[in-house]
Amino acid sequence: MPGRELAAIEAAQATGHVDAHWKPLDLLVMLFGIGTAWADWPHQDVLDDADVAAHRAAAVEAAARIIAPRQGMP
């Protein structure tokens, strides 16, 4: 178990920086999935630097939206 990472998520949830709706382990697994999604893409050879940068930006945006605290929700 990734104890240090889970503790960091719990601390961020406790201070309101990360949505507390998620169980820390579920959130960690989802974020790893987002981060590695393009690594499994079978056609890496057709991606140029701009493509890679766009995919990276999309992954960062997706992760940011998932962890963002919900407005008006417990």
Side-chain angles (χ1 to χ4, degrees), residues 39-70:
D40 293 332
W41 180 251
H43 304 288
Q44 295 287 332
D45 56 326
V46 300
L47 300 176
D48 62 20
D49 290 345
D51 292 327
V52 172
H55 297 320
R56 183 180 301 119
V60 169
E61 176 67 19
R65 289 181 185 206
I66 287 173
I67 69 168
R70 297 171 190 220

Side-chain angles (χ1 to χ4, degrees), residues 22-45:
W22 304 107
K23 292 179 182 175
L25 183 58
D26 291 344
L27 183 56
L28 186 62
V29 169
M30 286 186 284
L31 293 174
F32 268 103
I34 291 168
T36 62
W38 280 105
D40 293 332
W41 180 251
H43 304 288
Q44 295 287 332
D45 56 326

